[in-house]
Amino acid sequence: MVIDWLTLVIFFPLVGVVLMLFIPAKYQDTIKGVSLIIAFLTMLISFGIYYMFDTLGNGMQFEINEAWIVSLGINYHLGIDGISLLLIVLTTVLTVLCILSSWNAITVNVKGYYISMLFLSTGMIGVFCALDLFLFYVFWEVMLIPMYFIIGVWGGPRKIYAAIKFVLFTMFGSLLMLVALLYIYFEYARFSGEYSFDLFKIMDMPLAFRPQLWLFGAFALAFAIKVPLFPFHTWLPDAHVQAPTAGSVILAGVLLKMGTYGFVRICLPLFPQATLAYLPYICILAVIAIIYGALVSMVQKDVKSLVAFSSVSHMGFVMLGMFALNVEGLEGSVIQMINHGISTGALFLIVGMIYERRHTRLIDDFGGLAKVMPAFSTFFMIVVLSSIGLPFTNGFVGEFLILLGTFKENITLAVFATSGVVLAACYMLWMYQRVIFGKVTRPENENLPDLTAREKLILVPLVLLIFWIGIYPKPLFDRIEPAVKQILVRIDRIRLAANGDVTENNKMTFTDESSVKEVVFDERGSE
Amino acid sequence: MFDYIFLVPLIPLLGFIFNGLLIGRVPRPLISLVGCLTVGVSFILSVFLFFALKSLPAEARFIEQVLFSWIPAGSFQVDVAFLLDPLSAVMILVVSGVGFLIHVYSVGYMHSDPGYGRYFAFLNLFTFSMLTLVLANNFLLMFVGWEGVGLCSYLLIGFWFEKKSASDAGKKAFIVNRIGDFGFLLGMFLIFWQVGSLHFDTVMKTAPLVFTAGGGLITAACILLFVGAIGKSAQIPLYVWLPDAMEGPTPVSALIHAATMVTAGVYMIARTHDLYLMAPDALMVVAVIGAATAFFAATIGLAQNDIKRVLAYSTVSQLGYMFLACGVASFAAGIFHLMTHAFFKALLFLGAGSVIHAMSAEQNMRKMGGLKKYLPITYPTMLVATLAIAGIPGFSGFFSKDEILWKSFSSHYGHPFLWVIGFVTAGLTAFYMFRLIYLTFHGQERMDDKTRHHLHESPRTMTVPLVILAVLSVVGGWVGMPHLFGVTNYFEHWMEPVMTPGYNASEGPLLASGGSDTGMEILLMVLSVGLVLAAIYAARYYYQKNIQAATALREKLSGLNKLLVNKYYVDEIYGAVIVRPVVYGSIFLWKVVDVVLIDGLANGLATIARDMAEVLRHMQSGQVRRYATLFVTGVLLVIAYFVFG
């Protein structure tokens, strides 16, 4: 029997949900234990998929395509390439760490919380696997619900405001996406005579420029809100500050990636002409996000909102690299999605750890923690360095490639974006100095306990990932390179057709003629 | 032998990992042993590598060792790989050698510090970073070491983190360095964009094919790289972090100022000199900034009273000399001065550390004086270093500085004006350095009784490195005597395989030849030695014989003095022009743009939606009569439309 690995990894967390329905709410430790084990097993499954993934394979792997709602032509179509693969592994790893981090932090309605977490992970993994747009939309919306509860039930003082704001922003975008989706659906029916939401089938349909512009706009808005791209970011600081630690970690680590993933998976392949048309505007917004996020981050008083705004800046890098539309930029962008998940996830976990001790996150309430919490300070330092992109940490690899890719396309944008590297050092080190260095000025901070074994267990894997990706990222590149090239080939074909001549740029990505043919062949093969 | 190149940086890294992971769990002797021994082994290995390299024929002295592929992304391929050639061989000797002495010295200096393990871990990491920097065979791996030393300076300058001034200084060092790195990054992008590689050898060989000599692109690339060097090597306008770096423990200052970190910029330019030779305009920028910094920093050094601060400005000034050498395409001279400077500056800082140690942590020279008799080893060794930095014939600094002055005058890229600045600066250097010597070791004892009672020479671990460095400060220059003396310049000869220009423009040989006009060379040498002697005499007059004269002079020039004591107010100007506007601008962005404008708009839309719902809600009142009224109104309107419309 052939095991359908993707279905397994998507729905395995739901096994935990079902199990928990039979455990009375008062057995809190059992509930925590079950959810941890389930999340851990899900992670192992994803590791298995990572291990089995063929680095030489072009196109989608582990593909499965079954009829689901036959009358509407909706299929249960799953498949992953290197980009989805890494995001899935990131999701399962962060979910385990989040469950560990919630151990003592969540005290009310424990059962509901862990059910939400597992449910959420199903939705997230589903989004990264779905190749049928309807299925994609379903997973996209499904994960909104548990996230809403996580912020709204277990959040901070203004949790209701933040939760509703989060949902309204996201819903606003996803409604537009739904409209665009339906348009494509009917357009495809007119083109081919059959109804389908299948991503690859739709990719083969030629779309006129004008509809492309509208459709790209609708999808892009939905995704840009999620990323969040300046100026659609204002829900993020509220959501982060109010969400419980694990909520913030998942939000920053995975949910934001859905936006950028959406761009890569849907906008670039389906609307290549519109992509080129929107490109300058998106790049400018991305650069604004980098600088704006960094500057605003610098003057935050709450560590958590500082990290939230730094996310705006970092995600600006991801968007910029993606829309450089060359191999370096796009690969850097994908790596940076993973890096941001690790580094910012770790930052939120760290902020959560001092919050649990002091019940405040204001920078001014700290100072001198290096003396009382040396282990904590060391972990914090490493994560800060990774966040500001020090070489041999993960952040550098992504940022460098993004800036390099951008430089090849537009020097001005690259110069402005590179200034973000300086600003990142400013806001992070300034914050670190005020929290960690100096003398202990407040008596409450004098006897803070250092990290517990559980907390170290949470941070150690992240630190290992930081150095692994920083020093030996080759395995990741081996996995994403075919996927990235496949996406760029489509764009380059359009560029070629539009320009008529081979510019410097096209030469770069068209070096390997045979791989292009292979890709074309593969696209047909997947029909 | 060459299979072990990677061990040179790796062993100190292992020391870092050992001491870093086991902080607080190992006894001090083991910490010191691991800390010093790793760097010592690295040094011994470097010596073996040096001789192995020497045994090869000159043109074969180019060994690359590829460890693994680091970042492979499309056409962008960068390896973790090392390059051993005459240039990097000299650098690893200096870095690990001087570094080792500083480690040993630290055992004595830091013996009672509670952060002993952390200190040695960082020191090892520092050495690792610097060795990586000089051994890298590509720009990107060099950048790893480049940022690595920046990080270590951050950690070590801010080592006593409870002191706000220390953590401020550490942060300042990192951020100012990052501003330089901004240029370095852009330079790398530009080079990769044009050349398609970041591998040194490939870039140097391909550059003449893709760049037009003297063109805008190559000039831009060189200037961008130089911005990185300005940050790392503390040149105008980014030198501001270095004087503040005094906040760290004194051996750290020695490490930063002498063996590692600040010399990185000079090394980088020497490493990429093939590019600079193609961009004469960039060379001119390097020379001018170098000369200007040399002079500017020396003037500040005249008026400082903190012993370490004087030395800090002298470092900035001496680095200026090195850039001046590079700027006149005399790269070997720049590296030569880098080496001799590493010896005497490390000695000066460690000597100052010994003084501070003896003075119960007092750093103000006005409260010292007459220490000569209390510090029988520190005094003569520091005096040797001072004679070296002042450029007294026979001492190492004389040979290297003289070479730079001569090249700045005679080189194809030189200019008499550059020489004049270098010449005047040499006089200033001799003056402020001997001012330091006289204020510290001679004259009246100005310390209080308690401190005087405590005065003592430092322990053996501290004085032995001083003696070794003193010997090096003398003989270190003998390998590079001018041709004038009728001997071979071994140093220049050794560097030849690297420094032979890989590129020949139609203008003929671009590398400075020098040595053609012997009479002129002798004249200039005599002039500068004369000036130096005069300056020493002046310092002796003002600071030993006739202190009142110095006071009188200070009062006469009180405006200038105030300007110098306050370091031309550069920090204040940066604060007012850059830092504060950025902070307030950011607050504006947050409070007004983000909260009021963008979020206000979003929330405003939400409010409008709610208010509209509030109005429309009344239509759904459940009252049949109201429904009927609306219905009839609607029907009437429709009829009206058909009748009149």
Side-chain angles (χ1 to χ4, degrees), chain B residues 147-163:
Chain B
E147 288 254 290
V149 291
L151 166 69
C152 296
S153 67
Y154 167 76
L155 294 171
L156 281 167
I157 293 168
F159 183 76
W160 290 310
F161 56 80
E162 286 187 85
K163 246 166 82 186

mmCIF file with all atom_site columns, all heavy atoms in Angstrom, chain B residues 147-163:
data_model
loop_
_atom_site.group_PDB
_atom_site.id
_atom_site.type_symbol
_atom_site.label_atom_id
_atom_site.label_alt_id
_atom_site.label_comp_id
_atom_site.label_asym_id
_atom_site.label_entity_id
_atom_site.label_seq_id
_atom_site.pdbx_PDB_ins_code
_atom_site.Cartn_x
_atom_site.Cartn_y
_atom_site.Cartn_z
_atom_site.occupancy
_atom_site.B_iso_or_equiv
_atom_site.pdbx_formal_charge
_atom_site.auth_seq_id
_atom_site.auth_comp_id
_atom_site.auth_asym_id
_atom_site.auth_atom_id
_atom_site.pdbx_PDB_model_num
ATOM 1   N N   . GLU B 1 147 ? 32.361 40.920 9.989  1.00 0.00 ? 147 GLU B N   1
ATOM 2   C CA  . GLU B 1 147 ? 31.288 41.163 10.944 1.00 0.00 ? 147 GLU B CA  1
ATOM 3   C C   . GLU B 1 147 ? 31.589 40.477 12.271 1.00 0.00 ? 147 GLU B C   1
ATOM 4   O O   . GLU B 1 147 ? 31.157 40.918 13.321 1.00 0.00 ? 147 GLU B O   1
ATOM 5   C CB  . GLU B 1 147 ? 29.966 40.636 10.383 1.00 0.00 ? 147 GLU B CB  1
ATOM 6   C CG  . GLU B 1 147 ? 29.417 41.469 9.263  1.00 0.00 ? 147 GLU B CG  1
ATOM 7   C CD  . GLU B 1 147 ? 28.243 42.295 9.716  1.00 0.00 ? 147 GLU B CD  1
ATOM 8   O OE1 . GLU B 1 147 ? 27.181 41.730 9.973  1.00 0.00 ? 147 GLU B OE1 1
ATOM 9   O OE2 . GLU B 1 147 ? 28.389 43.518 9.817  1.00 0.00 ? 147 GLU B OE2 1
ATOM 10  N N   . GLY B 1 148 ? 32.333 39.372 12.188 1.00 0.00 ? 148 GLY B N   1
ATOM 11  C CA  . GLY B 1 148 ? 32.679 38.643 13.403 1.00 0.00 ? 148 GLY B CA  1
ATOM 12  C C   . GLY B 1 148 ? 33.517 39.498 14.344 1.00 0.00 ? 148 GLY B C   1
ATOM 13  O O   . GLY B 1 148 ? 33.241 39.564 15.546 1.00 0.00 ? 148 GLY B O   1
ATOM 14  N N   . VAL B 1 149 ? 34.518 40.180 13.812 1.00 0.00 ? 149 VAL B N   1
ATOM 15  C CA  . VAL B 1 149 ? 35.311 41.036 14.691 1.00 0.00 ? 149 VAL B CA  1
ATOM 16  C C   . VAL B 1 149 ? 34.466 42.200 15.193 1.00 0.00 ? 149 VAL B C   1
ATOM 17  O O   . VAL B 1 149 ? 34.632 42.652 16.329 1.00 0.00 ? 149 VAL B O   1
ATOM 18  C CB  . VAL B 1 149 ? 36.606 41.558 14.027 1.00 0.00 ? 149 VAL B CB  1
ATOM 19  C CG1 . VAL B 1 149 ? 37.589 40.442 13.805 1.00 0.00 ? 149 VAL B CG1 1
ATOM 20  C CG2 . VAL B 1 149 ? 36.326 42.287 12.741 1.00 0.00 ? 149 VAL B CG2 1
ATOM 21  N N   . GLY B 1 150 ? 33.527 42.638 14.369 1.00 0.00 ? 150 GLY B N   1
ATOM 22  C CA  . GLY B 1 150 ? 32.605 43.687 14.824 1.00 0.00 ? 150 GLY B CA  1
ATOM 23  C C   . GLY B 1 150 ? 31.810 43.204 16.023 1.00 0.00 ? 150 GLY B C   1
ATOM 24  O O   . GLY B 1 150 ? 31.676 43.903 17.024 1.00 0.00 ? 150 GLY B O   1
ATOM 25  N N   . LEU B 1 151 ? 31.304 41.983 15.928 1.00 0.00 ? 151 LEU B N   1
ATOM 26  C CA  . LEU B 1 151 ? 30.535 41.410 17.031 1.00 0.00 ? 151 LEU B CA  1
ATOM 27  C C   . LEU B 1 151 ? 31.403 41.291 18.275 1.00 0.00 ? 151 LEU B C   1
ATOM 28  O O   . LEU B 1 151 ? 30.995 41.655 19.381 1.00 0.00 ? 151 LEU B O   1
ATOM 29  C CB  . LEU B 1 151 ? 30.003 40.031 16.625 1.00 0.00 ? 151 LEU B CB  1
ATOM 30  C CG  . LEU B 1 151 ? 29.479 39.196 17.779 1.00 0.00 ? 151 LEU B CG  1
ATOM 31  C CD1 . LEU B 1 151 ? 28.208 39.802 18.330 1.00 0.00 ? 151 LEU B CD1 1
ATOM 32  C CD2 . LEU B 1 151 ? 29.240 37.762 17.354 1.00 0.00 ? 151 LEU B CD2 1
ATOM 33  N N   . CYS B 1 152 ? 32.628 40.765 18.100 1.00 0.00 ? 152 CYS B N   1
ATOM 34  C CA  . CYS B 1 152 ? 33.489 40.556 19.263 1.00 0.00 ? 152 CYS B CA  1
ATOM 35  C C   . CYS B 1 152 ? 33.858 41.875 19.907 1.00 0.00 ? 152 CYS B C   1
ATOM 36  O O   . CYS B 1 152 ? 33.954 41.968 21.130 1.00 0.00 ? 152 CYS B O   1
ATOM 37  C CB  . CYS B 1 152 ? 34.747 39.801 18.864 1.00 0.00 ? 152 CYS B CB  1
ATOM 38  S SG  . CYS B 1 152 ? 34.380 38.165 18.286 1.00 0.00 ? 152 CYS B SG  1
ATOM 39  N N   . SER B 1 153 ? 34.061 42.902 19.079 1.00 0.00 ? 153 SER B N   1
ATOM 40  C CA  . SER B 1 153 ? 34.369 44.196 19.680 1.00 0.00 ? 153 SER B CA  1
ATOM 41  C C   . SER B 1 153 ? 33.160 44.667 20.477 1.00 0.00 ? 153 SER B C   1
ATOM 42  O O   . SER B 1 153 ? 33.310 45.187 21.588 1.00 0.00 ? 153 SER B O   1
ATOM 43  C CB  . SER B 1 153 ? 34.735 45.210 18.607 1.00 0.00 ? 153 SER B CB  1
ATOM 44  O OG  . SER B 1 153 ? 33.625 45.502 17.805 1.00 0.00 ? 153 SER B OG  1
ATOM 45  N N   . TYR B 1 154 ? 31.971 44.428 19.951 1.00 0.00 ? 154 TYR B N   1
ATOM 46  C CA  . TYR B 1 154 ? 30.745 44.782 20.683 1.00 0.00 ? 154 TYR B CA  1
ATOM 47  C C   . TYR B 1 154 ? 30.717 44.090 22.035 1.00 0.00 ? 154 TYR B C   1
ATOM 48  O O   . TYR B 1 154 ? 30.448 44.693 23.068 1.00 0.00 ? 154 TYR B O   1
ATOM 49  C CB  . TYR B 1 154 ? 29.539 44.385 19.839 1.00 0.00 ? 154 TYR B CB  1
ATOM 50  C CG  . TYR B 1 154 ? 28.213 44.395 20.541 1.00 0.00 ? 154 TYR B CG  1
ATOM 51  C CD1 . TYR B 1 154 ? 27.547 45.586 20.814 1.00 0.00 ? 154 TYR B CD1 1
ATOM 52  C CD2 . TYR B 1 154 ? 27.588 43.204 20.915 1.00 0.00 ? 154 TYR B CD2 1
ATOM 53  C CE1 . TYR B 1 154 ? 26.328 45.591 21.448 1.00 0.00 ? 154 TYR B CE1 1
ATOM 54  C CE2 . TYR B 1 154 ? 26.370 43.201 21.542 1.00 0.00 ? 154 TYR B CE2 1
ATOM 55  C CZ  . TYR B 1 154 ? 25.744 44.396 21.808 1.00 0.00 ? 154 TYR B CZ  1
ATOM 56  O OH  . TYR B 1 154 ? 24.527 44.397 22.437 1.00 0.00 ? 154 TYR B OH  1
ATOM 57  N N   . LEU B 1 155 ? 31.016 42.780 22.015 1.00 0.00 ? 155 LEU B N   1
ATOM 58  C CA  . LEU B 1 155 ? 30.935 41.999 23.244 1.00 0.00 ? 155 LEU B CA  1
ATOM 59  C C   . LEU B 1 155 ? 32.041 42.377 24.227 1.00 0.00 ? 155 LEU B C   1
ATOM 60  O O   . LEU B 1 155 ? 31.825 42.388 25.436 1.00 0.00 ? 155 LEU B O   1
ATOM 61  C CB  . LEU B 1 155 ? 31.046 40.509 22.912 1.00 0.00 ? 155 LEU B CB  1
ATOM 62  C CG  . LEU B 1 155 ? 29.884 39.930 22.100 1.00 0.00 ? 155 LEU B CG  1
ATOM 63  C CD1 . LEU B 1 155 ? 30.210 38.517 21.645 1.00 0.00 ? 155 LEU B CD1 1
ATOM 64  C CD2 . LEU B 1 155 ? 28.606 39.934 22.917 1.00 0.00 ? 155 LEU B CD2 1
ATOM 65  N N   . LEU B 1 156 ? 33.233 42.678 23.691 1.00 0.00 ? 156 LEU B N   1
ATOM 66  C CA  . LEU B 1 156 ? 34.361 42.914 24.586 1.00 0.00 ? 156 LEU B CA  1
ATOM 67  C C   . LEU B 1 156 ? 34.451 44.360 25.061 1.00 0.00 ? 156 LEU B C   1
ATOM 68  O O   . LEU B 1 156 ? 34.842 44.625 26.186 1.00 0.00 ? 156 LEU B O   1
ATOM 69  C CB  . LEU B 1 156 ? 35.665 42.499 23.901 1.00 0.00 ? 156 LEU B CB  1
ATOM 70  C CG  . LEU B 1 156 ? 35.891 40.990 23.920 1.00 0.00 ? 156 LEU B CG  1
ATOM 71  C CD1 . LEU B 1 156 ? 36.999 40.594 22.977 1.00 0.00 ? 156 LEU B CD1 1
ATOM 72  C CD2 . LEU B 1 156 ? 36.196 40.500 25.322 1.00 0.00 ? 156 LEU B CD2 1
ATOM 73  N N   . ILE B 1 157 ? 34.082 45.291 24.178 1.00 0.00 ? 157 ILE B N   1
ATOM 74  C CA  . ILE B 1 157 ? 34.070 46.689 24.618 1.00 0.00 ? 157 ILE B CA  1
ATOM 75  C C   . ILE B 1 157 ? 33.016 46.848 25.705 1.00 0.00 ? 157 ILE B C   1
ATOM 76  O O   . ILE B 1 157 ? 33.221 47.514 26.707 1.00 0.00 ? 157 ILE B O   1
ATOM 77  C CB  . ILE B 1 157 ? 33.786 47.634 23.435 1.00 0.00 ? 157 ILE B CB  1
ATOM 78  C CG1 . ILE B 1 157 ? 34.935 47.594 22.446 1.00 0.00 ? 157 ILE B CG1 1
ATOM 79  C CG2 . ILE B 1 157 ? 33.579 49.053 23.928 1.00 0.00 ? 157 ILE B CG2 1
ATOM 80  C CD1 . ILE B 1 157 ? 34.620 48.257 21.129 1.00 0.00 ? 157 ILE B CD1 1
ATOM 81  N N   . GLY B 1 158 ? 31.883 46.164 25.487 1.00 0.00 ? 158 GLY B N   1
ATOM 82  C CA  . GLY B 1 158 ? 30.830 46.219 26.490 1.00 0.00 ? 158 GLY B CA  1
ATOM 83  C C   . GLY B 1 158 ? 30.966 45.113 27.523 1.00 0.00 ? 158 GLY B C   1
ATOM 84  O O   . GLY B 1 158 ? 29.979 44.700 28.104 1.00 0.00 ? 158 GLY B O   1
ATOM 85  N N   . PHE B 1 159 ? 32.197 44.651 27.726 1.00 0.00 ? 159 PHE B N   1
ATOM 86  C CA  . PHE B 1 159 ? 32.394 43.495 28.606 1.00 0.00 ? 159 PHE B CA  1
ATOM 87  C C   . PHE B 1 159 ? 31.878 43.765 30.010 1.00 0.00 ? 159 PHE B C   1
ATOM 88  O O   . PHE B 1 159 ? 31.193 42.938 30.608 1.00 0.00 ? 159 PHE B O   1
ATOM 89  C CB  . PHE B 1 159 ? 33.886 43.136 28.651 1.00 0.00 ? 159 PHE B CB  1
ATOM 90  C CG  . PHE B 1 159 ? 34.177 41.932 29.477 1.00 0.00 ? 159 PHE B CG  1
ATOM 91  C CD1 . PHE B 1 159 ? 33.895 40.667 28.991 1.00 0.00 ? 159 PHE B CD1 1
ATOM 92  C CD2 . PHE B 1 159 ? 34.712 42.050 30.745 1.00 0.00 ? 159 PHE B CD2 1
ATOM 93  C CE1 . PHE B 1 159 ? 34.146 39.542 29.762 1.00 0.00 ? 159 PHE B CE1 1
ATOM 94  C CE2 . PHE B 1 159 ? 34.965 40.925 31.510 1.00 0.00 ? 159 PHE B CE2 1
ATOM 95  C CZ  . PHE B 1 159 ? 34.679 39.674 31.023 1.00 0.00 ? 159 PHE B CZ  1
ATOM 96  N N   . TRP B 1 160 ? 32.196 44.951 30.549 1.00 0.00 ? 160 TRP B N   1
ATOM 97  C CA  . TRP B 1 160 ? 31.661 45.309 31.861 1.00 0.00 ? 160 TRP B CA  1
ATOM 98  C C   . TRP B 1 160 ? 30.295 45.950 31.643 1.00 0.00 ? 160 TRP B C   1
ATOM 99  O O   . TRP B 1 160 ? 30.135 47.161 31.696 1.00 0.00 ? 160 TRP B O   1
ATOM 100 C CB  . TRP B 1 160 ? 32.639 46.230 32.580 1.00 0.00 ? 160 TRP B CB  1
ATOM 101 C CG  . TRP B 1 160 ? 33.873 45.492 32.990 1.00 0.00 ? 160 TRP B CG  1
ATOM 102 C CD1 . TRP B 1 160 ? 33.911 44.300 33.665 1.00 0.00 ? 160 TRP B CD1 1
ATOM 103 C CD2 . TRP B 1 160 ? 35.238 45.860 32.775 1.00 0.00 ? 160 TRP B CD2 1
ATOM 104 N NE1 . TRP B 1 160 ? 35.211 43.914 33.872 1.00 0.00 ? 160 TRP B NE1 1
ATOM 105 C CE2 . TRP B 1 160 ? 36.057 44.850 33.350 1.00 0.00 ? 160 TRP B CE2 1
ATOM 106 C CE3 . TRP B 1 160 ? 35.850 46.945 32.169 1.00 0.00 ? 160 TRP B CE3 1
ATOM 107 C CZ2 . TRP B 1 160 ? 37.438 44.895 33.317 1.00 0.00 ? 160 TRP B CZ2 1
ATOM 108 C CZ3 . TRP B 1 160 ? 37.231 46.982 32.151 1.00 0.00 ? 160 TRP B CZ3 1
ATOM 109 C CH2 . TRP B 1 160 ? 38.018 45.968 32.720 1.00 0.00 ? 160 TRP B CH2 1
ATOM 110 N N   . PHE B 1 161 ? 29.338 45.082 31.381 1.00 0.00 ? 161 PHE B N   1
ATOM 111 C CA  . PHE B 1 161 ? 28.051 45.552 30.858 1.00 0.00 ? 161 PHE B CA  1
ATOM 112 C C   . PHE B 1 161 ? 27.240 46.331 31.871 1.00 0.00 ? 161 PHE B C   1
ATOM 113 O O   . PHE B 1 161 ? 26.278 46.973 31.530 1.00 0.00 ? 161 PHE B O   1
ATOM 114 C CB  . PHE B 1 161 ? 27.241 44.368 30.327 1.00 0.00 ? 161 PHE B CB  1
ATOM 115 C CG  . PHE B 1 161 ? 27.033 43.283 31.342 1.00 0.00 ? 161 PHE B CG  1
ATOM 116 C CD1 . PHE B 1 161 ? 26.045 43.410 32.311 1.00 0.00 ? 161 PHE B CD1 1
ATOM 117 C CD2 . PHE B 1 161 ? 27.805 42.137 31.334 1.00 0.00 ? 161 PHE B CD2 1
ATOM 118 C CE1 . PHE B 1 161 ? 25.845 42.412 33.249 1.00 0.00 ? 161 PHE B CE1 1
ATOM 119 C CE2 . PHE B 1 161 ? 27.616 41.138 32.275 1.00 0.00 ? 161 PHE B CE2 1
ATOM 120 C CZ  . PHE B 1 161 ? 26.634 41.275 33.244 1.00 0.00 ? 161 PHE B CZ  1
ATOM 121 N N   . GLU B 1 162 ? 27.633 46.251 33.147 1.00 0.00 ? 162 GLU B N   1
ATOM 122 C CA  . GLU B 1 162 ? 26.850 47.005 34.128 1.00 0.00 ? 162 GLU B CA  1
ATOM 123 C C   . GLU B 1 162 ? 27.114 48.502 34.030 1.00 0.00 ? 162 GLU B C   1
ATOM 124 O O   . GLU B 1 162 ? 26.324 49.309 34.500 1.00 0.00 ? 162 GLU B O   1
ATOM 125 C CB  . GLU B 1 162 ? 27.145 46.488 35.536 1.00 0.00 ? 162 GLU B CB  1
ATOM 126 C CG  . GLU B 1 162 ? 26.477 45.145 35.774 1.00 0.00 ? 162 GLU B CG  1
ATOM 127 C CD  . GLU B 1 162 ? 26.618 44.682 37.219 1.00 0.00 ? 162 GLU B CD  1
ATOM 128 O OE1 . GLU B 1 162 ? 25.803 45.088 38.038 1.00 0.00 ? 162 GLU B OE1 1
ATOM 129 O OE2 . GLU B 1 162 ? 27.560 43.925 37.489 1.00 0.00 ? 162 GLU B OE2 1
ATOM 130 N N   . LYS B 1 163 ? 28.264 48.834 33.422 1.00 0.00 ? 163 LYS B N   1
ATOM 131 C CA  . LYS B 1 163 ? 28.572 50.248 33.213 1.00 0.00 ? 163 LYS B CA  1
ATOM 132 C C   . LYS B 1 163 ? 27.864 50.709 31.949 1.00 0.00 ? 163 LYS B C   1
ATOM 133 O O   . LYS B 1 163 ? 28.075 50.140 30.886 1.00 0.00 ? 163 LYS B O   1
ATOM 134 C CB  . LYS B 1 163 ? 30.089 50.394 32.997 1.00 0.00 ? 163 LYS B CB  1
ATOM 135 C CG  . LYS B 1 163 ? 30.800 51.151 34.078 1.00 0.00 ? 163 LYS B CG  1
ATOM 136 C CD  . LYS B 1 163 ? 32.287 50.943 33.949 1.00 0.00 ? 163 LYS B CD  1
ATOM 137 C CE  . LYS B 1 163 ? 32.900 51.866 32.909 1.00 0.00 ? 163 LYS B CE  1
ATOM 138 N NZ  . LYS B 1 163 ? 34.329 51.561 32.699 1.00 0.00 ? 163 LYS B NZ  1
#
